[in-house]
Amino acid sequence: MAERGVSRVPYGVVHPGAWWVWALSLGTAATRTTNPLLLALLIAASAYVVATHRSPAPWARAYPAFLKLALTVLLVRVLFAVVLGSPIPGSHTLLTLPEVPLPHWAQGIRLGGRVTAESVVFAAYDGLKLAALLICVGAANALASPTRLLKSLPGALYETGVAVVVALTFAPHLIADVQRLRAARRLRGRPDRGVRGLLQVGLPVLEGALERSVSLAAAMEARGYGRTAEVPAPVRRTTAALTLGGLLGVCAGTYGLLTAEGGTYGLPLTLAGVVAALAGLRLGGRRSLRTRYRPDRWGPGAWLVTGSGVAVAALLALASARDPGALHPGVVPLVAPALPLWPAAAVLLALLPAFVVPKEHS
């Protein structure tokens, strides 16, 4: 019989929260630059770690969808710059579209007109930054098990975590149902595309999802999900005040960090908001009547994964402050971007988990 409080999780297994911190840190680093070479290096580093450590579980198959979404965002951003114009001046004209006259109240907006290479390149840089951020989030989804992450959530967020994990668990079943029904209709010579095919496939999928939802709800109710403890009213009010005040402090502090005028108060306000929000979540956890079965340990592998991601974000933030020209190449005049050496070396730190952390088998 296992001793109480002793973790039986394998030593080499990385805490799922560490993968999320690593991926979000890479996403933060991506927001500090518009250099396409550094962004491509960030995307390649995250993709390599995903290729070496991705689990064969169904929830890990969403990474290609995030890649397609990132490519779509990039193309849409460039298309908007071509159709709606851009405030970036330029002298290299690529093409001239027919311009649609707009009413006087739409001043500052145009449809069509001259499309310059500078505006297209600026839009591509901007779209690539957002695409890199989406790919980093996709890497976190591919590397971190949602069910294991649920066990590590604070008690105050337990209900929200259960809802998210149930949604992530049901999504692969829906995709499998759609593929199975479409294959069955093709074998029978019936259409599986168009409006008619969508209705004939969608209704059975919806019916199956509702049946699984009812069965899951009954099973969760039988196992006591949703029970809460009696908490005194002052504790509830203090919890709400700390959580709400902390989140507002984080929002205000983040705004201060993103503006030049709020550089003095942004960091202290953000830290104070984080501390208040964590205290509120800690107090709110008293309502949860649950224990953790075989909790994940935050071991050396988790610290290495977290440290590599945080180091990349911190070094790129430092590089952005010291040499903004290298991390934000200009487009007027239009020149080829250069690869800054030590920021590129900092990005390569994101590859450490691929070589040091053992691969998890599931």
Side-chain angles (χ1 to χ4, degrees):
M1 185 174 180
E3 297 180 5
R4 184 178 181 182
V6 176
S7 174
R8 296 298 181 184
V9 178
Y11 184 77
V13 174
V14 178
H15 194 286
W19 287 120
W20 271 101
V21 174
W22 173 83
L24 293 179
S25 298
L26 295 189
T28 303
T31 63
R32 309 305 300 175
T33 178
T34 55
N35 190 315
L37 300 179
L38 288 177
L39 292 173
L41 196 59
L42 268 172
I43 294 173
S46 64
Y48 184 79
V49 175
V50 170
T52 56
H53 283 68
R54 184 171 61 171
S55 168
W59 47 262
R61 300 173 186 171
Y63 188 69
F66 278 91
L67 293 178
K68 295 177 183 178
L69 178 61
L71 180 60
T72 303
V73 168
L74 176 60
L75 295 177
V76 169
R77 180 66 181 88
V78 174
L79 181 62
F80 276 9
V82 171
V83 176
L84 302 179
S86 173
I88 302 299
S91 57
H92 298 80
T93 303
L94 295 178
L95 71 159
T96 302
L97 300 176
E99 189 167 355
V100 178
L102 297 176
H104 67 279
W105 50 264
Q107 294 181 0
I109 304 175
R110 69 174 178 86
L111 293 176
R114 191 167 66 99
V115 179
T116 63
E118 289 83 354
S119 63
V120 172
V121 171
F122 177 80
Y125 287 176
D126 196 41
L128 185 60
K129 179 171 67 173
L130 183 56
L133 181 59
L134 290 172
I135 291 174
C136 291
V137 175
N141 280 276
L143 294 169
S145 170
T147 54
R148 286 173 49 207
L149 187 62
L150 172 64
K151 297 193 301 183
S152 305
L153 285 178
L157 299 178
Y158 181 61
E159 290 82 1
T160 304
V162 170
V164 172
V165 170
V166 168
L168 293 176
T169 305
F170 268 47
H173 291 290
L174 293 177
I175 296 175
D177 287 346
V178 171
Q179 294 175 348
R180 176 175 55 83
L181 288 171
R182 291 185 62 185
R185 290 186 63 82
R186 285 195 297 268
L187 289 175
R188 291 176 173 85
R190 298 176 182 177
D192 62 323
R193 298 181 183 276
V195 178
R196 183 180 177 183
L198 179 62
L199 293 176
Q200 296 294 330
V201 172
L203 291 178
V205 170
L206 180 60
E207 182 181 357
L210 290 176
E211 290 179 356
R212 280 195 297 268
S213 300
V214 173
S215 300
L216 180 61
M220 292 177 67
E221 184 177 2
R223 287 165 174 80
Y225 280 84
R227 293 180 301 172
T228 57
E230 291 293 335
V231 179
V235 176
R236 290 199 303 268
R237 288 193 290 267
T238 304
T239 301
L242 286 174
T243 305
L244 181 59
L247 294 178
L248 291 176
V250 169
C251 293
T254 304
Y255 175 79
L257 290 174
L258 296 176
T259 58
E261 295 79 4
T264 55
Y265 68 85
L267 183 59
L269 190 57
T270 302
L271 294 177
V274 169
V275 171
L278 291 177
L281 293 176
R282 180 71 176 177
L283 286 176
R286 295 184 179 182
R287 300 178 63 248
S288 178
L289 298 173
R290 70 185 183 98
T291 57
R292 289 186 174 91
Y293 177 68
R294 294 182 178 180
D296 287 304
R297 294 185 299 179
W298 198 281
W303 283 113
L304 189 145
V305 170
T306 302
S308 64
V310 172
V312 173
L315 290 175
L316 279 194
L318 180 62
S320 178
R322 289 191 172 184
D323 190 8
L327 268 69
H328 300 276
V331 295
V332 181
L334 189 61
V335 293
L339 180 66
L341 294 182
W342 76 266
V347 172
L348 294 179
L349 292 175
L351 291 171
L352 280 178
F355 301 102
V356 180
V357 177
K359 178 178 172 56
E360 301 175 16
H361 299 279
S362 57

